[in-house]
Amino acid sequence: MAASSVIPSLLLFLFVAAVAAASSNPNGYMHLRFYNHERILGSGPSATVVYAVQRRDSNSGAGFGNVIVYDNLMRSGVETDSPIVGRNQGMGVGSSLAENSGLTNFQLVFTAGKYSGSSLALQGLFPVAPLGTVFERAITGGTGKFRLAKGYLLTTEVRATNTTLTGQLDAYITFR
């Protein structure tokens, strides 16, 4: 076989191998789904969302200048007895004069399963919107198995009671 015919075959083999390696790389792209279980603001001593600063009365916490902090459970399912996979810990600031949204900055801290000990860092707007509204926030980094993560999180509030709010979180993650 002549060297001139080996080179194209070798290049084709290397290309196919590189494509196969990239598509099988578990750190190239991933989609995770879990559920945020919140005990809403004002639901008593078991609330997982509280005011740090309350400048204006607001049922949603989005009053301009208000600051809330939260430490919500993340579960694998929408039901309250679904296994706990971690916590959603962060803060929100009422940043709209119209009081229809707030800026959030938070960590999804994984405490169980194959991502235990890892976290995702996120930020973005949280709109005051009807149940079922989908909104997006940026994944700005991570730790552990999510080191160098980038991407976005789609949140849909799927269930609400007088004291609880459950949101479906879909994380779309890429790695540098």
Side-chain angles (χ1 to χ4, degrees), residues 4-156:
S4 63
S5 65
V6 171
I7 291 174
S9 297
L10 180 61
L11 289 175
L12 178 62
F13 171 77
L14 290 174
F15 174 75
V16 169
V19 168
S23 65
S24 66
N25 181 356
N27 291 329
Y29 167 83
M30 68 173 54
H31 169 235
L32 299 175
R33 174 176 286 168
F34 29 85
Y35 294 84
N36 183 67
H37 289 259
E38 176 180 312
R39 304 271 310 161
I40 61 175
L41 192 62
S43 64
S46 63
T48 58
V49 179
V50 298
Y51 279 113
V53 175
Q54 184 177 5
R55 293 194 42 156
R56 293 189 183 183
D57 286 335
S58 172
N59 291 336
S60 68
F64 185 71
N66 290 350
V67 178
I68 60 169
V69 294
Y70 50 90
D71 184 3
N72 300 323
L73 289 175
M74 280 193 319
R75 296 180 178 274
S76 61
V78 72
E79 300 302 326
T80 56
D81 61 352
S82 298
I84 296 170
V85 296
R87 304 194 74 87
N88 174 355
Q89 299 172 326
M91 61 179 281
V93 177
S95 56
S96 166
L97 285 171
E99 300 188 359
N100 60 4
S101 67
L103 176 65
T104 57
N105 186 354
F106 59 104
Q107 296 283 121
L108 300 178
V109 180
F110 293 85
T111 58
K114 69 181 188 177
Y115 303 113
S116 182
S118 301
S119 68
L120 287 168
L122 299 98
Q123 71 176 26
L125 285 180
F126 182 91
V128 176
L131 204 62
T133 302
V134 178
F135 54 95
E136 180 176 334
R137 289 175 278 188
I139 297 172
T140 58
T143 65
K145 293 185 179 178
F146 298 116
R147 189 174 296 130
L148 300 177
K150 297 288 182 198
Y152 61 98
L153 179 80
L154 296 179
T155 302
T156 309

